[in-house]
């Protein structure tokens, strides 16, 4: 399978290069040149597979022979063996044909483990084959950091530099990153917000001349297509459970960078019967403003109770724009680069197509808390504030109640105890594997919101290797 850039100015790349570089050289994002299509018969055959078996079937289509099947199979098995539930991604019934797909049974208790457990192994495999080293540089609004560190810390070919916004991630999230051991692990707290962190990462990728000889940068945020690929799997896994009784399922997805919901969009394009895809945002609702009003523009970032969705601009939206503009890469480029402080719009026809693909709803902190409370009162099931935005958006959108509505449960509630307490409920306890989190030693460096400070720090660390 060949991958192309959304901005049309980079050569085609294979899977290995896509994994190792993340961002395309022209600043665009890699997408498959064409998608595999899954027939109805194949869907039937996939119904009986375990999570890891299904993951292998889906993922090998994207790897397309660049890793021998037996090695790919064992990387996938290892990635999901560490999950605490035998189903890997269990489904929980709420009410009114609404379900929650629990995607937080991995080592860091958030859905990002699904992709990063595998990405760490893919990177290690390709790097050892090339005998090459990379510095992973990533920005995180919370959950990516710990999942990336857990996924990659065992690799002797990787140094990790993870930026998080200083004092703007939850204490559990911070501790999950800063207590990860390893001399290749570097946590940097930036005196700014998540978008500042992302900006620094983007600039460093654009000019890598600061790196010591022999190093290059690799991205593990959701601009890396391998992450999207791994997330496609759980849409199939959940959707296949309803294959015979329904004309499809719908998904409500707590969304920040548009990565997770884009994976659902691809699953649908590949042939999974999906009725609706609901974009659930918090008050940082650039995507909802676009879907509801055809206006895509930046507004000030506001901290919310669902910090992993606190973004000003959704980077993966660019991948969807490529489809919406029917492959017109010049229009993608001008839309994305023109964003600055200008409002971007699409034609009426394009906008109505986008509204056929997606519903959207913006959930503020009060609604988040009342939803956590409401689900608890009705079912005794505790959901985290990100998941709550999804449940609320699912309830608000116009839907056919005969179609199962599956909200992606993106994090364990114990990661976000402040929101749970605000909802008037008892502080949730951390699962046993993480019970001593508050006693572990933390390591991180606070740096100003400045590219030069970050690159100098990296030079120093990498120079010591
Ligand atoms: C990252 C994250 C999200 C948002 O996912 P995107 O792929 O950025 O849309 C939602 N919830 C949680 C808990 C997350 O960690």
């Amino acid at each position: 399978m060949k991958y192309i850039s959304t901005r049309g100015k980079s050569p085609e790349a294979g899977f290995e290069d896509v994994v190792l570089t993340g961002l395309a050289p022209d600043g665009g994002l890699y997408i498959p040149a064409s998608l595999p299509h899954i027939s109805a018969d194949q869907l039937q055959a996939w119904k009986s597979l375990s999570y890891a078996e299904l993951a292998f079937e889906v993922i090998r289509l994207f790897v397309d022979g660049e890793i021998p099947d037996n090695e790919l199979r064992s990387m996938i098995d290892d990635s999901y063996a560490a999950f605490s539930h035998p189903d890997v991604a269990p489904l929980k019934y709420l009410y009114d044909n609404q379900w929650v797909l629990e995607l937080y049974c991995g080592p860091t208790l958030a859905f990002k483990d699904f992709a990063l457990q595998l990405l760490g192994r893919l990177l290690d495999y390709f790097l050892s084959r090339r005998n090459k080293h990379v510095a992973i540089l990533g920005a995180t609004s919370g959950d990516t950091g710990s999942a990336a560190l857990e996924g990659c810390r065992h690799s002797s070919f990787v140094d990790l530099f993870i930026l998080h916004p200083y004092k703007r991630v939850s204490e559990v999230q911070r501790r999950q990153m800063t207590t990860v051991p390893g001399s290749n692990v570097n946590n940097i707290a930036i005196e700014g917000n998540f978008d500042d962190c992302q900006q620094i990462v983007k600039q460093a990728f654009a000019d890598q001349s600061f790196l010591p000889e022999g190093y290059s940068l690799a991205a593990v945020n959701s601009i890396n297509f391998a992450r999207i690929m791994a997330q496609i799997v759980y849409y199939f896994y959940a959707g296949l459970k309803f294959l015979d009784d329904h004309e499809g399922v719908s998904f409500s997805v707590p969304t920040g960078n548009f990565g997770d919901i884009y994976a659902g969009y691809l699953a649908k394009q590949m042939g999974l019967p999906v009725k609706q895809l609901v974009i659930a945002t918090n008050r940082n609702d650039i995507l909802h403003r676009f879907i509801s009003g055809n206006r895509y523009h930046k507004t000030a970032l506001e901290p919310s109770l669902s910090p992993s969705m606190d973004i000003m601009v959704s980077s993966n939206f660019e991948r969807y724009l490529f489809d919406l503009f029917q492959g017109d890469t010049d229009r993608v480029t001008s839309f994305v680069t023109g964003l600055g402080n200008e409002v971007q719009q699409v034609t009426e026809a394009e906008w109505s197509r986008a509204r056929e693909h997606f519903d959207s709803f913006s959930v503020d902190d009060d609604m988040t808390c009342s939803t956590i409370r409401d689900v608890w009162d009705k079912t005794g099931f505790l959901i985290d504030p990100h998941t709550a935005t999804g449940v609320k958006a699912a309830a608000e959108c116009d839907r056919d109640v005969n179609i199962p509505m599956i909200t992606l449960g993106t994090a364990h509630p114990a990661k976000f105890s402040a929101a749970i307490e605000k909802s008037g409920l008892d502080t949730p306890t951390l699962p046993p594997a993480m019970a001593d989190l508050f006693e572990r030693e933390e390591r991180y460096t606070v740096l100003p919101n400045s590219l030069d400070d970050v690159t100098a720090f990296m030079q120093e660390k990498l120079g010591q290797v």
Side-chain angles (χ1 to χ4, degrees), residues 363-375:
V363 180
D364 66 21
D365 281 354
D366 286 345
M367 290 188 244
T368 299
C369 288
S370 59
T371 304
I372 292 172
R373 177 88 215 194
D374 194 45
V375 170

Side-chain angles (χ1 to χ4, degrees), residues 57-370:
E57 294 300 329
V58 172
I59 289 169
R60 69 196 289 265
L61 300 171
F62 291 92
V63 175
D64 199 19
E66 291 191 41
I67 302 172
D69 276 354
N70 61 332
E71 305 211 41
L72 181 62
R73 186 62 219 255
S74 78
M75 275 187 243
I76 290 173
D77 286 348
D78 291 348
S79 296
Y80 301 111
F83 281 55
S84 65
H85 194 285
D87 282 348
V88 179
L91 261 177
K92 169 92 190 169
Y93 184 66
L94 294 185
Y95 38 72
D96 299 340
N97 211 2
Q98 285 199 59
W99 305 72
V100 170
L101 185 65
E102 295 179 62
L103 298 175
Y104 43 80
C105 303
T108 72
L109 309 179
F111 82 94
K112 292 185 172 78
D113 288 325
F114 277 85
L116 285 158
Q117 281 295 309
L118 180 63
L119 182 55
R121 289 172 169 87
L122 289 170
L123 281 173
D124 209 40
Y125 177 82
F126 287 134
L127 290 170
S128 69
R129 201 156 83 171
R130 290 187 181 190
N131 193 23
K132 206 175 161 286
H133 287 257
V134 295
I136 286 176
L137 176 61
T140 181
S141 54
D143 298 323
T144 303
S146 51
L149 295 168
E150 278 299 333
C152 305
R153 71 189 166 106
H154 295 297
S155 172
S156 38
F157 297 89
V158 168
D159 286 273
L160 288 141
F161 296 87
I162 301 296
L163 276 50
H164 70 265
Y166 185 44
K167 294 190 173 166
R168 293 191 194 208
V169 298
S170 79
E171 183 164 11
V172 171
Q173 282 184 311
R174 190 191 72 237
R175 286 180 166 274
Q176 280 190 320
M177 294 190 277
T178 59
T179 60
V180 173
S183 58
N184 61 342
V185 169
N186 300 281
N187 280 288
I188 303 170
I190 295 290
E191 292 172 325
N193 61 33
F194 172 58
D195 284 278
D196 296 326
C197 297
Q198 237 184 355
Q199 202 53 39
I200 291 175
V201 170
K202 272 194 183 150
Q203 289 172 325
F205 270 88
D207 179 4
Q208 304 187 15
S209 58
F210 69 93
L211 288 169
E213 189 75 26
Y215 272 91
S216 59
L217 290 182
V220 293
N221 53 2
S222 52
I223 62 175
N224 195 311
F225 186 79
R227 280 190 51 183
I228 308 284
M229 170 190 79
Q231 291 168 209
I232 291 172
V233 177
Y234 48 69
Y235 285 92
F236 277 98
Y237 189 66
L240 289 174
K241 295 208 187 300
F242 298 95
L243 198 59
D244 293 333
D245 341 334
H246 300 275
E247 44 184 311
V249 292
S250 295
F251 291 96
S252 177
V253 186
T255 307
N257 257 328
F258 202 74
D260 208 2
I261 189 147
Y262 180 70
Y265 168 79
L266 290 187
K268 183 175 181 178
Q269 304 299 309
M270 288 168 68
L272 181 70
V274 175
K275 197 87 177 166
Q276 278 174 293
L277 287 168
V278 182
I279 294 171
T281 71
N282 63 26
R283 62 202 293 192
N284 298 292
D285 59 354
I286 183 167
L287 290 164
H288 174 64
R289 294 198 300 274
F290 174 73
I291 297 294
S292 61
N294 191 10
R295 292 172 64 78
Y296 194 78
H297 62 106
K298 290 185 185 177
T299 51
L301 194 96
E302 311 228 20
S304 80
L305 289 176
S306 42
S308 300
M309 294 156 60
D310 286 351
I311 49 90
M312 207 150 48
V313 175
S314 302
S315 41
N316 279 290
F317 193 56
E318 180 167 344
R319 290 189 155 112
Y320 175 66
L321 287 173
F322 180 92
D323 275 13
L324 192 60
F325 296 156
Q326 295 174 309
D328 184 339
T329 52
D330 289 340
R331 281 195 62 207
V332 175
T333 309
S334 72
F335 187 102
V336 183
T337 55
L339 190 56
N341 293 315
E342 280 170 52
V343 178
Q344 299 293 319
Q345 293 187 287
V346 300
T347 66
E348 283 294 316
E350 287 160 348
W351 184 44
S352 78
R353 206 148 14 97
R355 288 160 66 91
E356 281 164 27
H357 285 141
F358 300 103
D359 292 276
S360 72
F361 195 75
S362 168
V363 180
D364 66 21
D365 281 354
D366 286 345
M367 290 188 244
T368 299
C369 288
S370 59

